Amino acid sequence: MILSIIASLGENNENGKKNNLICYLPKDLKHFREITLGHTIIMGRKTFYSLPNGPLFGRRNIIISRNQNLKIKNAEIYTSLETALSILSELGEIFIIGGNQIYKQTLPIANCLYLTKIHSTFPEADSFFPTINYKEWREVKHEKHPIDEKTPYPISFLKYERIIN
Ligand SMILES: NC(=O)c1ccc[n+]([C@@H]2O[C@H](COP(=O)([O-])OP(=O)(O)OC[C@H]3O[C@@H](n4cnc5c(N)ncnc54)[C@H](OP(=O)(O)O)[C@@H]3O)[C@@H](O)[C@H]2O)c1
């Protein structure tokens, strides 16, 4: 299993406000869809409830919650992250799609990071991606995109692979 994290974040690691994204970037949502389509995605219960249309189409949706009574159509619920990861361990690449509680618990064991860096700051943010020790990671992709009519900030699509555990 390759455990990959995918996230978008501002210059101060901010990536959420009021259980929603810090900004709406169609180009980043398309990039997210292209990378995760056909794969298994794991998310925390709060991130699931932030999705506008429920489980994400074309992907196996796994939700982590301590609520043993939670049932959601077209999604699988696990009450622990460890259980989910051990059950899914035979799969190829699995994507952790947030939120920050789940990122924090999986960053130490992830093999790969797909980050969209939004080159701006968002002072109204109330949720932050955990601190990344870049010495543990090698950058393998760096794709810059300037501002355009639907993208109000410059963004970069970055990919890192772990070099140190
Ligand atoms: N920009 C991005 O890339 C991105 C991506 C995703 C999310 N976000 C943002 O992140 C924010 C949400 O993140 P968050 O950290 O507040 O919440 P979260 O990680 O999405 O969900 C937290 C919930 O997950 C469950 N959980 C967490 N760890 C668990 C464990 N070890 N075992 C069992 N259940 C566990 C608990 O659910 P129960 O309370 O049900 O037990 C917990 O309340 C939002 O603002 C969202 O928009 C940003």
Side-chain angles (χ1 to χ4, degrees):
M1 174 182 75
I2 297 170
L3 188 63
S4 292
I5 284 178
I6 184 162
S8 57
L9 45 151
E11 293 288 0
N12 295 323
N13 275 11
E14 64 274 56
N15 69 353
K17 62 170 181 187
K18 296 185 179 157
N19 208 34
N20 224 314
L21 298 176
I22 44 172
C23 59
Y24 173 68
L25 298 173
K27 189 177 273 182
D28 186 38
L29 297 178
K30 182 167 175 273
H31 175 254
F32 173 87
R33 187 175 190 278
E34 283 168 0
I35 289 177
T36 58
L37 202 64
H39 291 282
T40 296
I41 53 175
I42 300 182
M43 71 197 95
R45 191 260 311 161
K46 291 185 183 175
T47 291
F48 174 73
Y49 281 120
S50 78
L51 300 175
N53 301 311
L56 296 181
F57 173 80
R59 284 146 281 195
R60 182 177 174 187
N61 286 244
I62 308 276
I63 299 163
I64 309 296
S65 168
R66 294 185 181 89
N67 179 353
Q68 300 184 348
N69 301 317
L70 189 64
K71 286 191 176 50
I72 293 165
K73 202 177 162 199
N74 297 327
E76 297 164 49
I77 319 291
Y78 288 95
T79 53
S80 105
L81 196 50
E82 290 75 17
T83 309
L85 291 175
S86 72
I87 285 168
L88 302 169
S89 65
E90 302 297 313
L91 297 182
E93 190 168 19
I94 294 177
F95 288 89
I96 302 292
I97 68 159
N100 291 311
Q101 284 188 35
I102 302 294
Y103 287 143
K104 192 172 177 192
Q105 294 169 70
T106 51
L107 184 60
I109 54 168
N111 309 107
C112 216
L113 291 180
Y114 295 81
L115 300 182
T116 297
K117 200 69 185 269
I118 306 166
H119 298 292
S120 187
T121 56
F122 299 85
E124 68 281 18
D126 58 17
S127 196
F128 296 81
F129 194 87
T131 303
I132 301 166
N133 180 356
Y134 284 98
K135 287 186 187 147
E136 297 176 359
W137 300 91
R138 171 180 47 229
E139 187 184 278
V140 294
K141 178 183 162 184
H142 194 131
E143 195 182 292
K144 289 182 182 171
H145 292 264
I147 291 171
D148 63 31
E149 67 278 4
K150 287 186 179 166
T151 317
Y153 317 100
I155 60 175
S156 299
F157 295 136
L158 308 169
K159 183 178 175 188
Y160 295 88
E161 290 172 356
R162 182 181 287 288
I163 46 173
I164 302 172
N165 281 311

